[in-house]
Amino acid sequence: MFRRSFNRFCAGEEKRVGTRTVFVGNHPVSETEAYIAQRFCDNRIVSSKYTLWNFLPKNLFEQFRRIANFYFLIIFLVQVTVDTPTSPVTSGLPLFFVITVTAIKQGYEDWLRHRADNEVNKRTVYIIENAKRVRKESEKIKVGDVVEVQADETFPCDLILLSSCTSDGTCYVTTASLDGESNCKTHYAVRDTIALHTAESIDTLRAAIECEQPQPDLYKSLGPENLLLKGATLKNTKKIYGVAVYTGMETKMALNYQGKSQKRSAVEKSINAFLIVYLFILLTKAAVCTTLKYVWQSTPYNDEPWYNQKTQKERETLKVLKMFTDFLSFMVLFNFIIPVSMYVTVEMQKFLGSFFISWDKDFYDEEIHEGALVNTSDLNEELGQVDYIFTDKTGTLTENSMEFIECCIDGHKYKGVAQEADGLSETDGPLTYFDKADKNREELFLRALCLCHTVEIKTNDAVDGPTESAKLTYVSSSPDEIALVKGAKKYGFTFVGIRNGHMRIENQRKEIEEYELLHTLNFDSVRRRMSVIVKTQAGDILLFCKGADSAVFPRVQNHEIELTKAHVERNAMDGYRTLCVAFKEITPDDYERINRQLIEAKMALQDREEKMEKVFDDIETNMNLIGATAVEDKLQDQAAETIEALHAAGLKVWVLTGDKMETAKSTCYACRLFQTSTELLELTTKTIEESERKEDRLHELLIEYRKKLLHDFPKSTRSLKKAWTEHQEYGLIIDGSTLSLILNSSQDSSSNNYKSIFLQICMKCTAVLCCRMAPLQKAQIVRMVKNLKGSPITLSIGDGANDVSMILESHVGIGIKGKEGRQAARNSDYAVPKFKHLKKLLLAHGHLYYVRIAHLVQYFFYKNLCFILPQFLYQFFCGFSQQPLYDAAYLTMYNICFTSLPILAYSLLEQHINIDTLTSDPRLYMKISGNAMLQLGPFLYWTFLAAFEGTVFFFGTYFLFQTSSLEENAKVYGNWTFGTIVFTVLVFTVTLKLALDTRFWTWINHFVIWGSLAFYVFFSFFWGGIIWPFLKQQRMYFVFAQMLSSVSTWLAIVLLIFISLFPEILLIVLKNVRRRSARRNLSCKRASDSLSARPSVRPLLLRTFSDESNIL
């Protein structure tokens, strides 16, 4: 019997066959039975990725899965095994640097996880063993141990509540660390063990618990009434005893901790595409040089000159093998065209850049005393590329701060605050209807509001007498419920708490009424209603139910619906949230059956949720409608201005909500998603039910809407955003049932077109409202838009657990730190306190992040092509002998030291347009949309610029060397001097190019740009000024100093730098002149002022937007 009573405590939602038997206190139930200790995992929490022993192999394996790292490893191995022109150090050292920096970063992050794990695992807990309190570390808890938990302590594992210090066996728990809800939830001890209050009595308990295997069902249900979850905190209760049923990595919190799927930004995809192009260039260079080498060597004199005779082994080597070796050697010589250090620079830029969001004071909210939170830094630049925004309504666009406005009882409207003299009939507020419902019906309605909820009183003391009722503080996971309880209080019925399982109400006559709470049929998003079964002091059993009209109307008498329905629809049109209230009387015989069914469903180990849902459905039928409530959810501050700005930026905003169409529509007009001029196209149950066959009517509407939109809009997607302001704006409204019809239509040929026609309509609409949406449907819509042609970038923003699915599905997920818990914020990529913060996050931060990283990527490929092209051209003048142009030290240091810091500083600090300008003129956001700065045009611009400059470096120096001697003493310069001049011009040119691009100068930019150039000069003097004992050949000794002793070399370096940068300087001057002349011709002063704060905005964007000179 006792074992059976435990069955229901851990019943889960998912279909799992296995069960486990837990012996309380690890004592056998019967001394005659053989006790075999079961093997369960210990209570250690492990969130870390590595251990001391596997860190090196595991981290290296993960890093070498990256294409660029693996490529450089192969090059390094080729250099070690094959006789190549450059030292293995030239590719090995940069690779070692990248691998080391990444490993240190990942190792540090994992060390933090280890430290957090140890804090949890080493925490002190008390176990009851042999009737004594034994002090242990948390990680030593075993399944079956009885644990004592004191007030304000966190539960160390998942426990079944055996007893508490209270006589009725209740305890209060907060789950803020699990779901962010700070309200107290009541849990109840097992009835058979309520009296066991001491360690001695607990130790005498001999019992077994049969429960299901561990399930990650944290957000479906925070556990049955007896299950205390790890991570929750004991409140307002001095002490409890509980038996451990799930420990360590099998607790619900640990099972629910799963890494989010890796999201890749559009910039990452562009980098991979560019890498393939440059890899092709590398292979082409190596193939050309290998072929020309053998063409050159076809002449006997060139193949084996007198001063370089071949050995016998070389003569006997197969020609094919020699060609392959030469090809590999050229690959090694040109391999620096692939920028391996770019990956570590990009990672550092993303990681460090994400702090700017966290530090932004504009994101700080005074109410919750929190700012923005960055959960992943990999998507910073994606914030500047968003095409579609999917937003929840309640708590995101609105405050989720509910206020009771009015109610209707049996079709009679009540609004205002009641006078004590005559219940509800006289009010301080204005009344539309002066007649009223029956007095008994009024009281029944108010009792329903006071009883049908999960609200709790925020106090530890029992409340007695009418004087205390005014001081009550209500807490609940749902603001709606608090508003309804407060609404009932206005009209004289006050909920004063629960004592010993009895709900207590103070009525209008200041009398306390008690109702025994028999069962609570909790709210869920599928049923969209909740119910309670209570027993009056007279012994009558009543069911009270409240829920959405669509969930309640089908379950009440038809003749009761008409009057209430009119009020509900009118309230929805006014933008209020509506709930319907119903009740029914239950006979003792019916209750016995219902009670038995509920207990059986709760005890089920398999399909528990389905069975409970079926029982709930059976119970909530044949009810009587009493009335309806209207609650106002105020619009969030600056929500309308934010949506206007996002529209102006060319973004499409879709509202996905579970609310009624009328309520949601009213909110959309209030927040300016729909303008008064917007023509609304409706695909709802109402519009489709006009016809007998729904699918035919749906098909007709889809065809009609498509014709209308295609007639009004141009076909080009690029010009669509501009068309919004020039043509009639359209908005679409669709509800959940119609969406299901579209997505799950039958497989005949006509129905297969539903989805594609629907998507065509959506793409032409400036705004879409989806109402009556289930959480799964929200994710389906996001997935559908993600898979559109062109793969538009999607962003989802919401504040509740029902928004998590769409937040995880979209490219970028934003969580609002709202009043519906923190599930959305925990599962998001970024979290902000309010919807209004989205404006600056996208228009300013997103814009700047994208421009910075796009410039970083293009610059890296540019400077490496500049670096390697002279090396390629040099082969034509050295008989394709694979002779390096640069010294090994320069090859190694170029990307690591000489050119790395300036671009990192630029990519963190650059503001090519002032932040205030970006937020005040949203149209600037359109200019970088569609990954504009990493398209083929800008890529070719940078590539040709690098090719031009590399050619100037090489041939400029080559023509300088046509003079037989460059010094007064007639000394002739050698090939290392030639390479050093080219390298000097290269380093100065690419660094000064970045200086020309910089619009926002700080002391850090000055320090790294001029400091890098100074460091190069210092290093060159240092490297060439000392005899290095570990080097076999000192080929660079005194080369740099000797080179700079020639005046003609100085002039050549300065001249070549100027010639290389001249096209860029000329372009900047021409664009400045063009912009100034355009400004003089502008008739609109506002458009002129929008860019005047930054006179040098256009030159930077010139490479991407050659066709647009200004903002009109």
Coordinates of all heavy atoms in Angstrom, one line a residue, residues 1074-1101:
R1074 N 31.6 64.9 -54.1 CA 30.3 64.5 -54.6 C 29.2 64.7 -53.5 O 28.1 65.1 -53.7 CB 30.3 63.1 -55.1 CG 29.0 62.6 -55.7 CD 29.2 61.1 -56.1 NE 27.9 60.5 -56.4 CZ 27.7 59.2 -56.6 NH1 28.8 58.4 -56.5 NH2 26.5 58.8 -56.9
R1075 N 29.6 64.3 -52.3 CA 28.7 64.4 -51.2 C 28.3 65.8 -50.8 O 27.2 66.2 -50.5 CB 29.2 63.6 -49.9 CG 28.2 63.4 -48.8 CD 28.7 62.7 -47.7 NE 29.8 63.4 -47.0 CZ 31.1 63.1 -47.1 NH1 31.5 62.1 -47.8 NH2 32.0 63.8 -46.4
R1076 N 29.4 66.7 -50.8 CA 29.1 68.1 -50.5 C 28.2 68.7 -51.5 O 27.3 69.5 -51.2 CB 30.5 68.8 -50.4 CG 31.3 68.5 -49.2 CD 32.4 69.5 -48.9 NE 33.2 69.0 -47.8 CZ 34.4 68.4 -47.9 NH1 34.9 68.2 -49.1 NH2 35.1 68.0 -46.9
S1077 N 28.4 68.4 -52.8 CA 27.6 69.0 -53.8 C 26.1 68.5 -53.7 O 25.2 69.2 -53.9 CB 28.1 68.7 -55.2 OG 28.1 67.3 -55.5
A1078 N 26.0 67.2 -53.3 CA 24.7 66.7 -53.1 C 24.0 67.3 -51.9 O 22.8 67.6 -52.0 CB 24.8 65.2 -52.9
R1079 N 24.7 67.6 -50.9 CA 24.1 68.3 -49.7 C 23.6 69.7 -50.1 O 22.6 70.1 -49.6 CB 25.2 68.4 -48.6 CG 25.3 67.2 -47.8 CD 26.3 67.5 -46.7 NE 26.5 66.2 -45.9 CZ 27.6 66.1 -45.2 NH1 28.5 67.0 -45.1 NH2 27.8 64.9 -44.5
R1080 N 24.3 70.4 -50.9 CA 23.9 71.7 -51.3 C 22.6 71.7 -52.0 O 21.8 72.7 -52.0 CB 25.0 72.4 -52.1 CG 26.1 73.0 -51.3 CD 27.0 74.0 -52.1 NE 27.7 73.3 -53.2 CZ 28.9 72.8 -53.1 NH1 29.5 72.8 -52.0 NH2 29.4 72.2 -54.1
N1081 N 22.3 70.6 -52.7 CA 21.1 70.5 -53.5 C 19.9 69.9 -52.8 O 18.9 69.8 -53.3 CB 21.4 69.6 -54.8 CG 22.4 70.3 -55.7 OD1 22.5 71.5 -55.7 ND2 23.2 69.4 -56.4
L1082 N 20.2 69.5 -51.5 CA 19.1 68.9 -50.8 C 18.1 69.9 -50.4 O 18.4 71.0 -49.9 CB 19.6 68.2 -49.5 CG 20.3 66.8 -49.7 CD1 20.8 66.3 -48.4 CD2 19.4 65.8 -50.3
S1083 N 16.8 69.6 -50.5 CA 15.7 70.5 -50.1 C 15.3 70.2 -48.7 O 14.7 71.1 -48.0 CB 14.5 70.4 -51.0 OG 14.1 69.1 -51.1
C1084 N 15.5 68.9 -48.2 CA 15.1 68.5 -46.9 C 16.2 68.7 -45.9 O 17.3 68.0 -46.0 CB 14.6 67.1 -46.9 SG 14.1 66.5 -45.3
K1085 N 16.1 69.6 -44.9 CA 17.2 69.9 -44.0 C 17.4 68.7 -43.1 O 18.5 68.4 -42.7 CB 16.8 71.1 -43.1 CG 17.9 71.5 -42.2 CD 17.5 72.8 -41.4 CE 18.6 73.3 -40.6 NZ 19.1 72.3 -39.6
R1086 N 16.4 67.9 -42.7 CA 16.5 66.8 -41.8 C 17.4 65.7 -42.4 O 18.3 65.2 -41.7 CB 15.1 66.2 -41.4 CG 15.2 65.0 -40.5 CD 13.8 64.6 -40.1 NE 13.9 63.4 -39.4 CZ 13.8 62.2 -40.0 NH1 13.6 62.1 -41.3 NH2 13.8 61.1 -39.2
A1087 N 17.2 65.4 -43.7 CA 18.0 64.4 -44.3 C 19.4 64.9 -44.4 O 20.4 64.1 -44.3 CB 17.5 64.1 -45.7
S1088 N 19.7 66.2 -44.6 CA 21.0 66.7 -44.7 C 21.7 66.5 -43.3 O 22.9 66.2 -43.3 CB 21.0 68.2 -45.1 OG 22.2 68.7 -45.0
D1089 N 21.0 66.9 -42.2 CA 21.6 66.8 -40.9 C 21.9 65.4 -40.5 O 22.7 65.2 -39.6 CB 20.7 67.5 -39.9 CG 20.5 69.0 -40.1 OD1 21.4 69.5 -40.8 OD2 19.6 69.6 -39.7
S1090 N 21.2 64.4 -41.0 CA 21.4 63.0 -40.5 C 22.8 62.5 -40.7 O 23.2 61.6 -40.0 CB 20.4 62.1 -41.2 OG 20.7 62.0 -42.6
L1091 N 23.5 63.0 -41.7 CA 24.9 62.6 -41.9 C 25.9 63.6 -41.6 O 27.1 63.3 -41.7 CB 25.0 62.0 -43.3 CG 24.4 60.6 -43.6 CD1 24.7 60.2 -45.0 CD2 24.9 59.6 -42.6
S1092 N 25.5 64.9 -41.4 CA 26.5 66.0 -41.3 C 27.4 65.8 -40.1 O 28.5 66.4 -40.0 CB 25.8 67.3 -41.2 OG 24.9 67.3 -40.1
A1093 N 26.9 65.1 -39.1 CA 27.8 64.9 -37.9 C 29.0 64.1 -38.2 O 30.0 64.2 -37.5 CB 27.0 64.1 -36.8
R1094 N 29.0 63.3 -39.3 CA 30.2 62.6 -39.7 C 30.6 62.9 -41.1 O 30.0 62.3 -42.0 CB 29.9 61.1 -39.5 CG 30.0 60.6 -38.1 CD 31.4 60.4 -37.6 NE 31.4 60.3 -36.2 CZ 32.5 60.5 -35.5 NH1 33.6 60.7 -36.0 NH2 32.4 60.4 -34.2
P1095 N 31.4 63.9 -41.4 CA 31.7 64.3 -42.7 C 32.4 63.2 -43.6 O 32.4 63.2 -44.8 CB 32.6 65.5 -42.6 CG 33.2 65.3 -41.2 CD 32.2 64.7 -40.4
S1096 N 32.9 62.2 -42.9 CA 33.6 61.1 -43.6 C 33.0 59.8 -43.6 O 33.6 58.8 -43.6 CB 35.1 61.0 -43.1 OG 35.0 60.9 -41.7
V1097 N 31.6 59.8 -43.5 CA 30.9 58.6 -43.5 C 31.0 57.8 -44.9 O 31.3 56.7 -44.9 CB 29.4 58.8 -43.2 CG1 28.6 57.6 -43.5 CG2 29.2 59.2 -41.8
R1098 N 30.8 58.5 -45.9 CA 30.6 57.9 -47.2 C 31.9 57.1 -47.7 O 31.7 56.0 -48.3 CB 30.3 58.9 -48.3 CG 28.9 59.5 -48.2 CD 27.8 58.4 -48.2 NE 28.0 57.5 -49.3 CZ 27.6 56.2 -49.2 NH1 27.1 55.7 -48.1 NH2 27.7 55.5 -50.3
P1099 N 33.1 57.6 -47.5 CA 34.2 56.9 -48.0 C 34.3 55.4 -47.6 O 34.7 54.6 -48.3 CB 35.4 57.7 -47.5 CG 34.9 59.0 -47.3 CD 33.5 58.9 -46.9
L1100 N 33.9 55.2 -46.3 CA 34.0 53.8 -45.8 C 33.0 52.9 -46.6 O 33.3 51.8 -47.0 CB 33.7 53.7 -44.3 CG 33.8 52.3 -43.8 CD1 35.2 51.7 -43.8 CD2 33.2 52.2 -42.4
L1101 N 31.8 53.4 -46.7 CA 30.7 52.6 -47.3 C 30.8 52.6 -48.8 O 30.1 51.8 -49.5 CB 29.3 53.2 -46.9 CG 29.0 53.1 -45.4 CD1 27.6 53.6 -45.2 CD2 29.1 51.6 -44.9

